[in-house]
Amino acid sequence: MPYLFGGLVVLNAVTLGYYLFLQQPSTTQTLKAAKEDISQPLTFTNSAKYIPPVIGTRE
């Protein structure tokens, strides 16, 4: 029984290593369609000026 458990652990580690490091990610059709649908990037609004001052400071 310990050999079976150890074998499964090793098999799991090999499978995880393969999918994390060796297999190259492939772009799917939905990702390609989403990239084509994006025509304008989102605008960025800096909201840091609306943050209240830290408690204890005088401003």
Side-chain angles (χ1 to χ4, degrees):
M1 199 62 148
Y3 296 114
L4 178 63
F5 179 73
L8 289 175
V9 168
V10 169
L11 180 65
N12 191 11
V14 168
T15 306
L16 181 67
Y18 171 73
Y19 281 108
L20 287 179
F21 301 112
L22 297 179
Q23 187 182 25
Q24 297 296 323
S26 61
T27 56
T28 61
Q29 294 295 330
T30 55
L31 180 62
K32 290 178 185 175
K35 284 184 178 180
E36 291 172 359
D37 286 344
I38 296 174
S39 59
Q40 282 186 318
L42 297 174
T43 58
F44 174 74
T45 304
N46 187 4
S47 61
K49 60 183 176 182
Y50 302 114
I51 297 174
V54 180
I55 295 175
T57 59
R58 293 180 187 238
E59 286 189 26

Short mmCIF file of all heavy atoms in Angstrom, two decimals:
data_model
loop_
_atom_site.label_atom_id
_atom_site.label_comp_id
_atom_site.label_asym_id
_atom_site.label_seq_id
_atom_site.Cartn_x
_atom_site.Cartn_y
_atom_site.Cartn_z
N MET A 1 0.81 -1.20 0.00
CA MET A 1 0.00 0.00 0.00
C MET A 1 0.85 1.27 0.00
O MET A 1 0.49 2.22 -0.69
CB MET A 1 -0.94 -0.04 1.21
CG MET A 1 -2.11 0.88 1.07
SD MET A 1 -3.11 0.41 -0.34
CE MET A 1 -4.69 0.87 0.20
N PRO A 2 1.95 1.33 0.75
CA PRO A 2 2.78 2.55 0.67
C PRO A 2 3.37 2.77 -0.72
O PRO A 2 3.56 3.91 -1.15
CB PRO A 2 3.88 2.33 1.68
CG PRO A 2 3.46 1.21 2.53
CD PRO A 2 2.45 0.42 1.75
N TYR A 3 3.65 1.66 -1.43
CA TYR A 3 4.20 1.79 -2.78
C TYR A 3 3.17 2.38 -3.74
O TYR A 3 3.51 3.18 -4.62
CB TYR A 3 4.69 0.45 -3.30
CG TYR A 3 5.85 -0.10 -2.50
CD1 TYR A 3 5.71 -1.27 -1.74
CD2 TYR A 3 7.07 0.56 -2.49
CE1 TYR A 3 6.76 -1.76 -1.01
CE2 TYR A 3 8.13 0.07 -1.76
CZ TYR A 3 7.97 -1.09 -1.02
OH TYR A 3 9.03 -1.56 -0.29
N LEU A 4 1.92 1.98 -3.56
CA LEU A 4 0.86 2.52 -4.40
C LEU A 4 0.69 4.02 -4.15
O LEU A 4 0.59 4.82 -5.09
CB LEU A 4 -0.45 1.79 -4.12
CG LEU A 4 -1.68 2.28 -4.89
CD1 LEU A 4 -1.49 2.07 -6.38
CD2 LEU A 4 -2.91 1.57 -4.40
N PHE A 5 0.68 4.42 -2.90
CA PHE A 5 0.55 5.83 -2.56
C PHE A 5 1.74 6.63 -3.09
O PHE A 5 1.58 7.70 -3.67
CB PHE A 5 0.43 6.00 -1.04
CG PHE A 5 0.31 7.43 -0.61
CD1 PHE A 5 -0.85 8.15 -0.83
CD2 PHE A 5 1.38 8.08 -0.01
CE1 PHE A 5 -0.96 9.47 -0.44
CE2 PHE A 5 1.28 9.40 0.38
CZ PHE A 5 0.11 10.09 0.16
N GLY A 6 2.94 6.11 -2.90
CA GLY A 6 4.13 6.79 -3.40
C GLY A 6 4.13 6.91 -4.91
O GLY A 6 4.52 7.93 -5.47
N GLY A 7 3.67 5.85 -5.57
CA GLY A 7 3.58 5.89 -7.03
C GLY A 7 2.59 6.93 -7.51
O GLY A 7 2.84 7.63 -8.50
N LEU A 8 1.47 7.04 -6.82
CA LEU A 8 0.48 8.05 -7.20
C LEU A 8 0.99 9.46 -6.95
O LEU A 8 0.72 10.38 -7.74
CB LEU A 8 -0.82 7.81 -6.43
CG LEU A 8 -1.63 6.59 -6.85
CD1 LEU A 8 -2.83 6.41 -5.94
CD2 LEU A 8 -2.06 6.69 -8.29
N VAL A 9 1.74 9.65 -5.88
CA VAL A 9 2.32 10.96 -5.61
C VAL A 9 3.32 11.34 -6.69
O VAL A 9 3.34 12.47 -7.19
CB VAL A 9 2.97 10.99 -4.21
CG1 VAL A 9 3.81 12.24 -4.02
CG2 VAL A 9 1.91 10.90 -3.13
N VAL A 10 4.16 10.39 -7.09
CA VAL A 10 5.15 10.65 -8.14
C VAL A 10 4.45 10.91 -9.48
O VAL A 10 4.82 11.84 -10.21
CB VAL A 10 6.14 9.47 -8.25
CG1 VAL A 10 7.01 9.59 -9.49
CG2 VAL A 10 7.00 9.39 -6.99
N LEU A 11 3.43 10.13 -9.78
CA LEU A 11 2.68 10.33 -11.02
C LEU A 11 2.01 11.70 -11.03
O LEU A 11 2.01 12.40 -12.05
CB LEU A 11 1.64 9.23 -11.19
CG LEU A 11 0.78 9.30 -12.45
CD1 LEU A 11 1.66 9.09 -13.68
CD2 LEU A 11 -0.32 8.27 -12.38
N ASN A 12 1.47 12.10 -9.90
CA ASN A 12 0.85 13.42 -9.79
C ASN A 12 1.88 14.53 -9.98
O ASN A 12 1.63 15.52 -10.66
CB ASN A 12 0.15 13.55 -8.43
CG ASN A 12 -0.72 14.77 -8.35
OD1 ASN A 12 -0.98 15.41 -9.34
ND2 ASN A 12 -1.15 15.09 -7.14
N ALA A 13 3.06 14.37 -9.39
CA ALA A 13 4.10 15.38 -9.53
C ALA A 13 4.58 15.47 -10.98
O ALA A 13 4.82 16.58 -11.49
CB ALA A 13 5.27 15.05 -8.60
N VAL A 14 4.72 14.36 -11.65
CA VAL A 14 5.16 14.37 -13.05
C VAL A 14 4.10 15.03 -13.92
O VAL A 14 4.42 15.85 -14.80
CB VAL A 14 5.45 12.93 -13.52
CG1 VAL A 14 5.62 12.85 -15.02
CG2 VAL A 14 6.68 12.39 -12.81
N THR A 15 2.83 14.71 -13.70
CA THR A 15 1.76 15.30 -14.49
C THR A 15 1.67 16.81 -14.26
O THR A 15 1.53 17.59 -15.20
CB THR A 15 0.41 14.64 -14.13
OG1 THR A 15 0.54 13.23 -14.28
CG2 THR A 15 -0.70 15.14 -15.02
N LEU A 16 1.77 17.22 -13.01
CA LEU A 16 1.73 18.65 -12.70
C LEU A 16 2.92 19.38 -13.33
O LEU A 16 2.77 20.46 -13.89
CB LEU A 16 1.73 18.86 -11.19
CG LEU A 16 1.68 20.30 -10.71
CD1 LEU A 16 0.34 20.92 -11.06
CD2 LEU A 16 1.91 20.36 -9.22
N GLY A 17 4.10 18.80 -13.24
CA GLY A 17 5.27 19.41 -13.86
C GLY A 17 5.14 19.54 -15.36
O GLY A 17 5.56 20.54 -15.96
N TYR A 18 4.54 18.53 -15.98
CA TYR A 18 4.35 18.59 -17.43
C TYR A 18 3.42 19.73 -17.80
O TYR A 18 3.71 20.52 -18.69
CB TYR A 18 3.77 17.26 -17.94
CG TYR A 18 3.34 17.32 -19.39
CD1 TYR A 18 4.28 17.35 -20.42
CD2 TYR A 18 2.00 17.37 -19.73
CE1 TYR A 18 3.89 17.42 -21.75
CE2 TYR A 18 1.60 17.45 -21.05
CZ TYR A 18 2.54 17.46 -22.04
OH TYR A 18 2.16 17.54 -23.36
N TYR A 19 2.28 19.82 -17.13
CA TYR A 19 1.31 20.86 -17.48
C TYR A 19 1.76 22.25 -17.09
O TYR A 19 1.37 23.23 -17.71
CB TYR A 19 -0.06 20.55 -16.87
CG TYR A 19 -0.81 19.50 -17.66
CD1 TYR A 19 -0.99 18.23 -17.16
CD2 TYR A 19 -1.33 19.79 -18.91
CE1 TYR A 19 -1.66 17.27 -17.88
CE2 TYR A 19 -2.00 18.85 -19.65
CZ TYR A 19 -2.17 17.58 -19.13
OH TYR A 19 -2.83 16.65 -19.86
N LEU A 20 2.59 22.39 -16.07
CA LEU A 20 3.04 23.72 -15.66
C LEU A 20 4.23 24.22 -16.46
O LEU A 20 4.32 25.41 -16.76
CB LEU A 20 3.40 23.73 -14.17
CG LEU A 20 2.24 23.67 -13.19
CD1 LEU A 20 2.77 23.65 -11.77
CD2 LEU A 20 1.32 24.85 -13.39
N PHE A 21 5.15 23.33 -16.81
CA PHE A 21 6.42 23.79 -17.37
C PHE A 21 6.65 23.39 -18.83
O PHE A 21 7.27 24.14 -19.58
CB PHE A 21 7.58 23.27 -16.53
CG PHE A 21 7.52 23.73 -15.10
CD1 PHE A 21 7.27 22.83 -14.09
CD2 PHE A 21 7.68 25.06 -14.78
CE1 PHE A 21 7.20 23.25 -12.77
CE2 PHE A 21 7.62 25.50 -13.47
CZ PHE A 21 7.38 24.59 -12.46
N LEU A 22 6.17 22.23 -19.24
CA LEU A 22 6.52 21.76 -20.58
C LEU A 22 5.47 22.07 -21.63
O LEU A 22 5.82 22.34 -22.78
CB LEU A 22 6.78 20.25 -20.54
CG LEU A 22 7.95 19.82 -19.66
CD1 LEU A 22 8.10 18.31 -19.66
CD2 LEU A 22 9.25 20.46 -20.13
N GLN A 23 4.22 22.02 -21.28
CA GLN A 23 3.18 22.24 -22.27
C GLN A 23 3.01 23.73 -22.52
O GLN A 23 2.83 24.52 -21.60
CB GLN A 23 1.85 21.64 -21.79
CG GLN A 23 0.79 21.70 -22.85
CD GLN A 23 -0.53 21.15 -22.33
OE1 GLN A 23 -0.77 21.15 -21.14
NE2 GLN A 23 -1.36 20.69 -23.23
N GLN A 24 3.06 24.12 -23.77
CA GLN A 24 2.91 25.52 -24.13
C GLN A 24 1.43 25.89 -24.14
O GLN A 24 0.60 25.11 -24.62
CB GLN A 24 3.50 25.78 -25.52
CG GLN A 24 4.98 25.54 -25.61
CD GLN A 24 5.76 26.50 -24.72
OE1 GLN A 24 5.39 27.65 -24.59
NE2 GLN A 24 6.81 26.01 -24.10
N PRO A 25 1.08 27.04 -23.62
CA PRO A 25 -0.33 27.43 -23.62
C PRO A 25 -0.81 27.74 -25.04
O PRO A 25 -0.07 28.28 -25.86
CB PRO A 25 -0.37 28.69 -22.75
CG PRO A 25 1.02 29.22 -22.81
CD PRO A 25 1.93 28.04 -22.98
N SER A 26 -2.02 27.34 -25.32
CA SER A 26 -2.58 27.60 -26.64
C SER A 26 -3.70 28.61 -26.52
O SER A 26 -4.45 28.63 -25.55
CB SER A 26 -3.12 26.30 -27.25
OG SER A 26 -4.15 25.79 -26.42
N THR A 27 -3.79 29.48 -27.50
CA THR A 27 -4.85 30.49 -27.48
C THR A 27 -6.13 29.84 -28.00
O THR A 27 -6.13 29.17 -29.04
CB THR A 27 -4.48 31.69 -28.34
OG1 THR A 27 -4.18 31.24 -29.66
CG2 THR A 27 -3.29 32.42 -27.78
N THR A 28 -7.20 30.05 -27.29
CA THR A 28 -8.47 29.46 -27.68
C THR A 28 -9.23 30.42 -28.58
O THR A 28 -8.86 31.57 -28.76
CB THR A 28 -9.31 29.16 -26.43
OG1 THR A 28 -9.55 30.38 -25.74
CG2 THR A 28 -8.61 28.18 -25.51
N GLN A 29 -10.30 29.92 -29.14
CA GLN A 29 -11.10 30.75 -30.05
C GLN A 29 -11.77 31.89 -29.30
O GLN A 29 -11.90 32.99 -29.84
CB GLN A 29 -12.17 29.87 -30.73
CG GLN A 29 -11.60 28.82 -31.65
CD GLN A 29 -10.89 29.42 -32.84
OE1 GLN A 29 -11.25 30.50 -33.30
NE2 GLN A 29 -9.88 28.74 -33.33
N THR A 30 -12.17 31.65 -28.06
CA THR A 30 -12.83 32.72 -27.31
C THR A 30 -11.85 33.84 -26.98
O THR A 30 -12.21 35.01 -26.98
CB THR A 30 -13.46 32.17 -26.02
OG1 THR A 30 -12.46 31.49 -25.27
CG2 THR A 30 -14.60 31.23 -26.33
N LEU A 31 -10.59 33.48 -26.70
CA LEU A 31 -9.59 34.51 -26.42
C LEU A 31 -9.30 35.33 -27.67
O LEU A 31 -9.19 36.55 -27.61
CB LEU A 31 -8.31 33.87 -25.90
CG LEU A 31 -7.16 34.81 -25.56
CD1 LEU A 31 -7.57 35.77 -24.45
CD2 LEU A 31 -5.93 34.05 -25.17
N LYS A 32 -9.21 34.67 -28.80
CA LYS A 32 -8.99 35.40 -30.05
C LYS A 32 -10.16 36.33 -30.35
O LYS A 32 -9.97 37.47 -30.78
CB LYS A 32 -8.80 34.41 -31.20
CG LYS A 32 -7.50 33.66 -31.14
CD LYS A 32 -7.39 32.67 -32.28
CE LYS A 32 -6.14 31.82 -32.17
NZ LYS A 32 -6.09 30.79 -33.20
N ALA A 33 -11.39 35.86 -30.12
CA ALA A 33 -12.56 36.69 -30.38
C ALA A 33 -12.61 37.88 -29.42
O ALA A 33 -12.98 38.99 -29.81
CB ALA A 33 -13.82 35.86 -30.26
N ALA A 34 -12.23 37.66 -28.17
CA ALA A 34 -12.25 38.76 -27.20
C ALA A 34 -11.21 39.81 -27.54
O ALA A 34 -11.45 41.01 -27.40
CB ALA A 34 -12.01 38.21 -25.80
N LYS A 35 -10.04 39.38 -27.99
CA LYS A 35 -9.01 40.34 -28.38
C LYS A 35 -9.43 41.15 -29.60
O LYS A 35 -9.10 42.33 -29.72
CB LYS A 35 -7.69 39.61 -28.67
CG LYS A 35 -6.96 39.18 -27.42
CD LYS A 35 -5.63 38.58 -27.77
CE LYS A 35 -4.86 38.18 -26.53
NZ LYS A 35 -3.56 37.59 -26.86
N GLU A 36 -10.17 40.53 -30.50
CA GLU A 36 -10.64 41.25 -31.68
C GLU A 36 -11.76 42.23 -31.33
O GLU A 36 -11.90 43.27 -31.98
CB GLU A 36 -11.12 40.27 -32.75
CG GLU A 36 -9.99 39.47 -33.37
CD GLU A 36 -10.48 38.37 -34.29
OE1 GLU A 36 -11.71 38.22 -34.43
OE2 GLU A 36 -9.64 37.67 -34.86
N ASP A 37 -12.55 41.90 -30.31
CA ASP A 37 -13.65 42.78 -29.91
C ASP A 37 -13.17 44.04 -29.20
O ASP A 37 -13.87 45.05 -29.20
CB ASP A 37 -14.64 42.04 -29.00
CG ASP A 37 -15.49 41.06 -29.78
OD1 ASP A 37 -15.52 41.16 -31.03
OD2 ASP A 37 -16.11 40.19 -29.14
N ILE A 38 -12.00 43.99 -28.60
CA ILE A 38 -11.49 45.16 -27.88
C ILE A 38 -10.99 46.17 -28.90
O ILE A 38 -10.00 45.97 -29.58
CB ILE A 38 -10.35 44.76 -26.92
CG1 ILE A 38 -10.88 43.83 -25.85
CG2 ILE A 38 -9.73 46.00 -26.29
CD1 ILE A 38 -9.79 43.27 -24.95
N SER A 39 -11.73 47.27 -29.02
CA SER A 39 -11.32 48.29 -29.98
C SER A 39 -10.74 49.51 -29.29
O SER A 39 -9.90 50.19 -29.85
CB SER A 39 -12.50 48.69 -30.85
OG SER A 39 -13.53 49.20 -30.03
N GLN A 40 -11.20 49.79 -28.06
CA GLN A 40 -10.69 50.93 -27.32
C GLN A 40 -10.25 50.46 -25.94
O GLN A 40 -10.98 49.75 -25.27
CB GLN A 40 -11.75 52.01 -27.15
CG GLN A 40 -11.97 52.85 -28.37
CD GLN A 40 -12.94 53.97 -28.06
OE1 GLN A 40 -13.93 53.75 -27.38
NE2 GLN A 40 -12.65 55.15 -28.55
N PRO A 41 -9.08 50.88 -25.51
CA PRO A 41 -8.67 50.53 -24.16
C PRO A 41 -9.47 51.34 -23.14
O PRO A 41 -10.06 52.37 -23.45
CB PRO A 41 -7.19 50.90 -24.12
CG PRO A 41 -7.04 51.94 -25.18
CD PRO A 41 -8.06 51.62 -26.23
N LEU A 42 -9.49 50.84 -21.92
CA LEU A 42 -10.20 51.54 -20.85
C LEU A 42 -9.45 52.80 -20.46
O LEU A 42 -8.22 52.83 -20.45
CB LEU A 42 -10.33 50.64 -19.62
CG LEU A 42 -11.15 49.37 -19.82
CD1 LEU A 42 -11.07 48.52 -18.59
CD2 LEU A 42 -12.59 49.71 -20.14
N THR A 43 -10.19 53.84 -20.14
CA THR A 43 -9.56 55.07 -19.70
C THR A 43 -9.27 54.98 -18.21
O THR A 43 -10.02 54.37 -17.46
CB THR A 43 -10.47 56.28 -19.97
OG1 THR A 43 -11.71 56.09 -19.30
CG2 THR A 43 -10.71 56.44 -21.46
N PHE A 44 -8.18 55.58 -17.80
CA PHE A 44 -7.75 55.53 -16.41
C PHE A 44 -8.04 56.86 -15.76
O PHE A 44 -7.71 57.92 -16.29
CB PHE A 44 -6.24 55.23 -16.33
CG PHE A 44 -5.70 55.30 -14.94
CD1 PHE A 44 -5.96 54.31 -14.03
CD2 PHE A 44 -4.93 56.38 -14.54
CE1 PHE A 44 -5.47 54.37 -12.75
CE2 PHE A 44 -4.43 56.47 -13.26
CZ PHE A 44 -4.70 55.45 -12.36
N THR A 45 -8.70 56.82 -14.63
CA THR A 45 -8.98 58.03 -13.85
C THR A 45 -8.23 57.93 -12.54
O THR A 45 -8.44 56.99 -11.77
CB THR A 45 -10.49 58.17 -13.58
OG1 THR A 45 -11.18 58.14 -14.82
CG2 THR A 45 -10.78 59.44 -12.84
N ASN A 46 -7.37 58.91 -12.28
CA ASN A 46 -6.60 58.91 -11.05
C ASN A 46 -7.49 59.44 -9.93
O ASN A 46 -7.88 60.61 -9.92
CB ASN A 46 -5.35 59.78 -11.20
CG ASN A 46 -4.45 59.67 -10.00
OD1 ASN A 46 -4.70 58.89 -9.09
ND2 ASN A 46 -3.37 60.44 -10.00
N SER A 47 -7.80 58.58 -8.98
CA SER A 47 -8.68 58.99 -7.88
C SER A 47 -7.90 59.23 -6.59
O SER A 47 -8.49 59.34 -5.52
CB SER A 47 -9.75 57.93 -7.65
OG SER A 47 -9.14 56.71 -7.30
N ALA A 48 -6.59 59.33 -6.68
CA ALA A 48 -5.79 59.52 -5.47
C ALA A 48 -6.01 60.88 -4.84
O ALA A 48 -5.83 61.04 -3.64
CB ALA A 48 -4.31 59.33 -5.80
N LYS A 49 -6.42 61.86 -5.63
CA LYS A 49 -6.62 63.19 -5.06
C LYS A 49 -7.89 63.28 -4.21
O LYS A 49 -8.08 64.21 -3.47
CB LYS A 49 -6.65 64.26 -6.16
CG LYS A 49 -7.75 64.07 -7.16
CD LYS A 49 -7.64 65.13 -8.24
CE LYS A 49 -8.68 64.91 -9.33
NZ LYS A 49 -8.57 65.88 -10.39
N TYR A 50 -8.76 62.27 -4.32
CA TYR A 50 -9.99 62.26 -3.53
C TYR A 50 -9.86 61.50 -2.22
O TYR A 50 -10.80 61.46 -1.44
CB TYR A 50 -11.12 61.64 -4.35
CG TYR A 50 -11.37 62.36 -5.66
CD1 TYR A 50 -11.12 61.73 -6.87
CD2 TYR A 50 -11.83 63.66 -5.67
CE1 TYR A 50 -11.33 62.38 -8.06
CE2 TYR A 50 -12.06 64.33 -6.86
CZ TYR A 50 -11.80 63.68 -8.05
OH TYR A 50 -12.02 64.33 -9.23
N ILE A 51 -8.70 60.90 -1.94
CA ILE A 51 -8.50 60.16 -0.72
C ILE A 51 -8.32 61.15 0.44
O ILE A 51 -7.55 62.09 0.32
CB ILE A 51 -7.25 59.25 -0.83
CG1 ILE A 51 -7.47 58.22 -1.93
CG2 ILE A 51 -6.96 58.55 0.48
CD1 ILE A 51 -6.26 57.38 -2.23
N PRO A 52 -9.03 60.95 1.53
CA PRO A 52 -8.88 61.88 2.65
C PRO A 52 -7.50 61.75 3.29
O PRO A 52 -6.84 60.72 3.15
CB PRO A 52 -9.98 61.46 3.62
CG PRO A 52 -10.31 60.08 3.26
CD PRO A 52 -10.02 59.93 1.81
N PRO A 53 -7.06 62.79 4.00
CA PRO A 53 -5.73 62.73 4.61
C PRO A 53 -5.70 61.71 5.75
O PRO A 53 -6.74 61.32 6.28
CB PRO A 53 -5.50 64.14 5.13
CG PRO A 53 -6.87 64.70 5.27
CD PRO A 53 -7.71 64.07 4.23
N VAL A 54 -4.51 61.31 6.13
CA VAL A 54 -4.32 60.37 7.21
C VAL A 54 -4.78 61.01 8.52
O VAL A 54 -4.57 62.21 8.74
CB VAL A 54 -2.85 59.95 7.30
CG1 VAL A 54 -2.62 58.96 8.44
CG2 VAL A 54 -2.39 59.35 6.00
N ILE A 55 -5.40 60.23 9.37
CA ILE A 55 -5.90 60.77 10.65
C ILE A 55 -4.71 61.26 11.47
O ILE A 55 -3.72 60.56 11.64
CB ILE A 55 -6.67 59.68 11.42
CG1 ILE A 55 -7.93 59.31 10.63
CG2 ILE A 55 -7.04 60.16 12.82
CD1 ILE A 55 -8.69 58.16 11.23
N GLY A 56 -4.82 62.47 11.98
CA GLY A 56 -3.77 63.05 12.79
C GLY A 56 -2.94 64.09 12.06
O GLY A 56 -2.13 64.79 12.66
N THR A 57 -3.13 64.23 10.74
CA THR A 57 -2.38 65.25 9.99
C THR A 57 -3.28 66.48 9.80
O THR A 57 -4.50 66.39 9.79
CB THR A 57 -1.96 64.72 8.61
OG1 THR A 57 -3.13 64.35 7.88
CG2 THR A 57 -1.04 63.53 8.73
N ARG A 58 -2.65 67.61 9.65
CA ARG A 58 -3.40 68.85 9.45
C ARG A 58 -3.23 69.29 8.01
O ARG A 58 -2.13 69.60 7.57
CB ARG A 58 -2.89 69.93 10.38
CG ARG A 58 -3.17 69.62 11.82
CD ARG A 58 -2.61 70.73 12.69
NE ARG A 58 -2.72 70.37 14.09
CZ ARG A 58 -3.38 71.09 14.97
NH1 ARG A 58 -3.97 72.19 14.61
NH2 ARG A 58 -3.44 70.71 16.22
N GLU A 59 -4.33 69.35 7.31
CA GLU A 59 -4.31 69.82 5.93
C GLU A 59 -5.51 70.66 5.66
O GLU A 59 -6.58 70.46 6.09
CB GLU A 59 -4.26 68.65 4.96
CG GLU A 59 -2.92 67.99 4.92
CD GLU A 59 -2.83 66.97 3.81
OE1 GLU A 59 -3.54 67.09 2.81
OE2 GLU A 59 -2.04 66.05 3.95
#
